[in-house]
């Protein structure tokens, strides 16, 4: 069974940093692209970032480019999102997702709240 | 970026009746490999999204056959043949070429 378990969310002040992790199991992690998608409270889904299967290629939404960094450790089957210079508008549930012909599996999400 | 526009944004439906959601993209979703990476996902209240349909019309494993997808180019549709209580939630279309983008979501409720 595919499982994606996020961790690392919490309350952070504007300008602060957080590192999200996503532990994957139930599939061969190194064979799949992965993404982070976020959802602000009461709002829709917004794609944040993607990384290819070996980590050599990444893309970012314009809203997070230069502030967020996606990475992966295939030996640990873990996906990461380093978030710096956080803003109020980054407040959201962050989902770790797998890509097979589009985003197919989603984790349960981890809440990031940016507030003073 | 490709803009995805869904309609309606709110969809009250009587149990047992059909439902239809439209999704239009700002440009053709036919990718260079000939495939169209348009998918539909369902988000039940308080849950993570779950994909229902991929590549326009292919149902994911375990998805009831009352759900079907169709369309081509820039116009796509998700249909539910007979709505059940468990279908309540928000439905999103998503296009899978970079940067990935989602529709605004359609909230399905029971009338």
């Amino acid at each position: 069974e595919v499982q994606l378990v996020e961790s690392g969310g919490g309350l952070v002040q504007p300008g602060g940093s957080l590192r999200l992790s996503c532990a994957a199991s139930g599939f061969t992690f190194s064979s799949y692209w992965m993404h982070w998608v976020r959802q602000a409270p009461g709002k829709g889904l917004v794609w944040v970032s993607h990384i290819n299967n070996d980590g050599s290629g990444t893309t970012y939404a314009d809203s997070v480019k230069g502030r967020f960094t996606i990475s992966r450790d295939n030996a640990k089957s873990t996906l990461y999102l380093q978030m710096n210079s956080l803003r109020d508008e980054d407040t959201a549930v962050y989902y770790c997702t797998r890509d097979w012909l589009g985003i197919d599996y989603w984790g349960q999400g981890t809440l990031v709240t940016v507030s003073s | 970026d490709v803009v995805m526009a869904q309609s309606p944004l709110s969809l009250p439906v009587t149990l047992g009746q059909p439902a239809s959601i439209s999704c239009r993209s700002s440009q053709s979703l036919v990718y260079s490999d000939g495939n169209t990476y348009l998918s539909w996902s369902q988000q039940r209240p308080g849950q993570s999204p779950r994909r229902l349909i991929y590549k326009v019309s292919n149902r994911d494993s375990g998805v009831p056959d009352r759900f079907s997808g169709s369309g081509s180019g820039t116009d796509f549709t998700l249909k539910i043949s007979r709505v059940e209580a468990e279908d309540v939630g928000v439905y999103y279309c998503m296009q899978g070429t970079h940067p990935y983008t989602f529709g605004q979501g359609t909230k399905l409720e029971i009338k």
Side-chain angles (χ1 to χ4, degrees):
Chain A
E1 178 194 3
V2 172
Q3 287 201 320
L4 300 169
V5 180
E6 303 94 335
S7 60
L11 175 64
V12 61
Q13 293 187 339
S17 298
L18 273 180
R19 189 196 198 200
L20 306 184
S21 299
C22 170
S25 61
F27 64 102
T28 305
F29 182 71
S30 59
S31 297
Y32 292 84
W33 289 10
M34 300 292 292
H35 305 257
W36 288 97
V37 176
R38 69 184 181 184
Q39 186 171 36
K43 302 296 185 182
L45 302 170
V46 177
W47 174 82
V48 173
S49 180
H50 124 278
I51 187 166
N52 67 359
N53 55 312
D54 67 4
S56 62
T58 59
T59 56
Y60 298 92
D62 287 345
S63 58
V64 306
K65 204 171 291 183
R67 301 187 298 122
F68 290 12
T69 303
I70 190 171
S71 62
R72 64 192 297 161
D73 184 335
N74 284 344
K76 295 182 178 179
S77 296
T78 302
L79 178 72
Y80 303 101
L81 186 67
Q82 177 66 43
M83 305 186 295
N84 298 332
S85 303
L86 283 161
R87 306 168 179 166
D88 291 351
E89 57 264 34
D90 295 319
T91 294
V93 173
Y94 285 74
Y95 293 103
C96 167
T97 70
R98 189 184 81 165
D99 191 319
W100 179 72
L101 301 177
I103 290 174
D104 61 346
Y105 281 95
W106 300 67
Q108 87 287 350
T110 187
L111 176 62
V112 172
T113 303
V114 185
S115 175
S116 54
Chain B
D1 297 0
V2 178
V3 177
M4 307 295 286
Q6 289 183 228
S7 63
L9 299 185
S10 179
L11 183 57
V13 183
T14 300
L15 285 173
Q17 292 300 301
S20 180
I21 301 171
S22 171
C23 177
R24 289 184 171 164
S25 57
S26 59
Q27 60 193 66
S28 173
L29 297 186
V30 180
Y31 193 53
S32 54
D33 63 3
N35 290 307
T36 301
Y37 296 100
L38 184 284
S39 61
W40 292 93
S41 295
Q42 173 197 60
Q43 187 174 30
R44 290 171 170 155
Q47 295 186 12
S48 301
R50 163 202 181 197
R51 193 174 71 178
L52 302 174
I53 302 285
Y54 65 95
K55 285 175 54 179
V56 181
S57 59
N58 297 274
R59 267 191 307 276
D60 276 282
S61 176
V63 174
D65 60 7
R66 65 178 181 277
F67 290 93
S68 64
S70 63
S72 63
T74 60
D75 288 346
F76 305 92
T77 303
L78 175 70
K79 292 183 178 178
I80 309 173
S81 59
R82 295 172 305 281
V83 169
E84 299 188 3
E86 65 180 17
D87 299 336
V88 166
V90 181
Y91 292 79
Y92 296 92
C93 61
M94 189 203 81
Q95 65 84 18
T97 59
H98 291 291
Y100 287 31
T101 48
F102 293 88
Q104 316 97 300
T106 295
K107 186 174 184 178
L108 186 149
E109 60 181 25
I110 304 300
K111 205 184 292 185

